[in-house]
Amino acid sequence: MNNEPNHLIKASSPYLLQHAYNPVNWYEWGDEALQKAKAENKLILVSIGYSACHWCHVMERESFENHEVAEVMNQHYVCIKVDREERPDIDQIYMLAVQLMTGQGGWPLNCICLPDQRPIYGGTYFGKSDWINVLTSIAEMYQLEREKTLQYADRLTDGIRNAEKIIPNVKTADYTIDDLKEIVEPWKRSFDMSQGGYNRSPKFPLPNNWQFLLRYSYLSHDNATHVATLLTLEKMALGGIYDHIGGGFARYSVDERWHVPHFEKMMYDNGQLVSLYAEAYLASQLPLFKQVAQESIAWVQREMTSPEGLFYAALDADSEGVEGKFYVWSADEFEVLTEGDHLLMAAYFNVTEAGNWEEEETNILLRNKTDEEFAHAKGITVEELQSKVQLAKERLLEQRNRRVRPGLDDKCLTAWNAMMIKGLADSANVFKEPVYYEMAKKAADFILTSLRTENGGLYRNYKSGKASIVGFLDDYAFLIEALLALYAVDFKESWLLEARKLTDQVLNDFNDNDSPMLFYTSAGSEALIARKHEIMDNVIPSSNSVMAQNLQVLGLMFDNDAYLEKASAMLAAVKPQIKTYGSAYSNWATQLLNEVYSLNEIAITGNDLESVTKELNAVYIPNKVTIAGTNSTLPLLKDRQSLETKIYICRNKSCQLPVNTVEEAIKLIN
């Protein structure tokens, strides 16, 4: 470790600050580094990772903290460190470059570029000796075979610019249930019907996949997807990927049984999973789903909320340099803490003397049975079991809080905060819990007042009182979606007016004249070697798919044909791709589902709004947009003011006669 810091010492990102005392002369991405590369005609090394990335830490220990390696890097390269969570625009480009070169990607991501930022070589993790060999041989090639490197950069940059090109497509016929079956039937072949998820490992939660399949199974009465979805959600909730003591999910499990997690916890996963489990509880009434959503929110409230009410980005996998050390238990320690009930609790959490994973004599807490199944097997009541489990959890959590904690990435990202705001708003509606609404409102209010640029746009990041990076499409898309979720709780039109304002800004700043899709970076963002769209849904739904759904909902609420036409054009352009790989277009598939089954526009007026909406929220209707109010200017409510309760059900711009009760409204919907 160096005594003298490098240029990262002024960074806001915790990940960059971790590297501030490396002997590598790291720079942040910016003019200083990019101009230096041009002035000295030096290759650029772009090294990308994030604070909770285990192999990023390994490569740092082996190479970036090593003086011999640093000497080679400093001599031949201008070295730039990038936090992929702060600068997904840079990550997107160089990840695509490495995928085109090697057929795969991941983090740490290391890409060697010409002084003009165009990539010529890249990969992910390198061991120390391989890394030195790569660095020296590419530097030699650049000196001795300049023309060859320039030709290679030309080809690769063309590949980056042309990848994921979406061709405008005209919708020629109405979408039908057959369009959905064409997507879902091949998708079913990849379901793991014994352990949930897909027939592969590692296993990622992929919340948007299961949200689509939950809605599809309900609307189309498809039993196979219904069983697969509930099985997956149950297995994840019982498995080691879920933190049974503190709440919240790890990023993925390394095995096919959800048993051994990769222990880092990300806000984007947990925001989406809280939404999903709340929705799944509403659809199924399974108590396990409610427990998981509520415990995960309790974790966010306890450990992941900033003084301003924003939500931190992530918890590291490692503590004291060991992955998972914070979360695992020896049988002896577990026995002491669960005194009196230790045999019952050891059976409940699968704790053994030998240990239940590859690290000997340590145990990841996980379950094989629901509380109902376990209590029945042990001949005790569910209430008796749950009071014993609760006591054990409290003691274990108290003890765990004395341990050295995993590193906290305490930056706050607008897009990820928005996912948790939506999760909290959805949960406030499903569980009738005002505290969740207050948490969501506080975070949203802070973003809307304190993370705004001079022109009314959004900043992406916030840490230590500072916001420094202008927002990307996902920041806008997920925040607009979160504002719609907040409106569904309190029916305050100020949320909708903010959502519309941000939507107009998106259509202005992110527009692509040659495509129905929106660019990921705004017109005012720094120019990189390519300006990309983000189309495919991954662990996070793509910003274009989220924005298309926002446009559809806001188009209905404000009777805005331009929004509806844009949403329709975006879906039509992607539609041919969806059936090729349903899992990678699941959020687009949700929009298609809404087209096939139509969104129920539910407009409620009258003096008894609170009890009516509460009753309505207790019914699972996956394809609905609800508006309510007494002095509303919204088109669906404008001329329908009334003191007595009136519920209007509209579909495809035509409305039924109003009814007076939720029961009658449900009959109209069904």
Side-chain angles (χ1 to χ4, degrees), residues 92 111 382 389 393 491 517 596 607:
Q92 211 175 56
C111 203
V382 172
V389 169
K393 283 183 178 182
F491 298 110
M517 294 303 151
V596 172
N607 284 346

Side-chain angles (χ1 to χ4, degrees), residues 114 118-120 148-158:
L114 297 177
R118 292 186 300 156
I120 55 170
K148 189 171 161 185
T149 60
L150 294 173
Q151 286 169 3
Y152 196 44
D154 284 341
R155 284 206 305 277
L156 200 49
T157 305
D158 279 347

Side-chain angles (χ1 to χ4, degrees), residues 47-65:
S47 181
I48 305 174
Y50 58 100
S51 73
C53 161
H54 174 70
W55 288 102
C56 300
H57 299 323
V58 175
M59 191 162 176
E60 181 188 18
R61 284 198 295 273
E62 292 176 349
S63 294
F64 304 149
E65 290 177 359

Side-chain angles (χ1 to χ4, degrees), residues 515-563:
S515 166
M517 294 303 151
L518 298 157
F519 283 121
Y520 184 71
T521 53
S522 79
S525 292
E526 169 194 359
L528 301 173
I529 59 166
R531 200 172 169 206
K532 301 297 296 170
H533 306 105
E534 185 187 56
I535 312 265
M536 290 172 79
D537 301 316
N538 201 309
V539 293
I540 297 174
S542 70
S543 42
N544 268 288
S545 68
V546 176
M547 206 56 228
Q549 288 189 42
N550 291 339
L551 285 160
Q552 188 181 24
V553 171
L554 288 165
L556 292 172
M557 286 181 157
F558 287 106
D559 195 16
N560 183 321
D561 285 339
Y563 287 2

Side-chain angles (χ1 to χ4, degrees), residues 263-523:
F263 288 90
E264 73 261 62
K265 287 181 178 178
M266 315 302 291
M267 190 52 64
Y268 63 77
D269 283 321
N270 285 286
Q272 293 179 83
L273 285 163
V274 164
S275 270
L276 174 60
Y277 275 93
E279 183 173 333
Y281 174 73
L282 185 60
S284 69
Q285 297 296 302
L286 290 172
L288 176 64
F289 296 170
K290 180 178 185 176
Q291 179 191 347
V292 162
Q294 295 192 319
E295 287 178 351
S296 297
I297 293 171
W299 163 69
V300 171
Q301 197 172 17
R302 190 178 61 245
E303 298 179 34
M304 301 300 288
T305 303
S306 78
E308 298 84 0
L310 294 180
F311 309 116
Y312 297 132
L315 275 180
D316 208 328
D318 301 9
S319 51
E320 300 181 80
V322 179
E323 190 188 356
K325 186 173 182 180
F326 184 71
Y327 296 100
V328 297
W329 304 88
S330 70
D332 290 346
E333 189 180 15
F334 186 86
E335 181 176 338
V336 169
L337 292 164
T338 56
E339 56 178 329
D341 286 321
H342 83 268
L343 290 175
L344 186 73
M345 290 300 99
Y348 183 84
F349 285 120
N350 286 272
V351 173
T352 68
E353 287 289 340
N356 64 12
W357 66 309
E358 68 265 20
E359 296 292 327
E360 287 181 19
E361 296 180 9
T362 62
N363 294 274
I364 295 165
L365 302 189
L366 60 127
R367 297 161 56 190
N368 298 333
K369 294 181 169 75
T370 64
D371 284 352
E372 293 73 17
E373 292 163 344
F374 188 85
H376 179 73
K378 294 294 178 185
I380 57 176
T381 67
V382 172
E383 292 72 25
E384 192 183 346
L385 172 67
Q386 286 176 341
S387 75
K388 289 177 185 292
V389 169
Q390 191 54 38
L391 181 62
K393 283 183 178 182
E394 284 166 13
R395 286 175 177 165
L396 290 160
L397 184 61
E398 194 183 330
Q399 177 61 26
R400 195 173 83 175
N401 285 340
R402 296 191 182 108
R403 295 176 175 177
V404 175
R405 301 186 73 78
L408 171 70
D409 187 330
D410 62 350
K411 68 175 180 288
C412 302
L413 298 172
T414 300
W416 299 10
N417 268 261
M419 290 176 219
M420 184 49 75
I421 292 167
K422 180 179 186 296
L424 289 162
D426 292 346
S427 298
N429 261 348
V430 172
F431 305 127
K432 319 283 185 283
E433 182 46 82
V435 173
Y436 300 163
Y437 165 75
E438 291 302 333
M439 286 172 72
K441 181 180 183 301
K442 187 175 181 183
D445 282 339
F446 188 86
I447 293 170
L448 290 173
T449 53
S450 302
L451 295 191
R452 302 303 279 268
T453 61
E454 280 178 17
N455 70 346
L458 294 172
Y459 278 110
R460 176 170 183 80
N461 63 329
Y462 181 84
K463 184 180 183 304
S464 308
K466 265 204 337 262
S468 54
I469 298 164
V470 294
F472 301 108
L473 184 61
D474 57 344
D475 297 304
Y476 287 84
F478 285 107
L479 184 61
I480 293 164
E481 184 184 47
L483 297 175
L484 293 172
L486 276 164
Y487 172 77
V489 183
D490 64 12
F491 298 110
K492 287 184 179 159
E493 284 175 27
S494 54
W495 301 122
L496 297 184
L497 298 175
E498 284 286 4
R500 183 171 67 176
K501 209 183 295 176
L502 290 167
T503 299
D504 289 338
Q505 189 137 11
V506 165
L507 295 177
N508 190 49
D509 293 353
F510 294 83
N511 185 51
D512 179 355
N513 292 328
D514 300 321
S515 166
M517 294 303 151
L518 298 157
F519 283 121
Y520 184 71
T521 53
S522 79

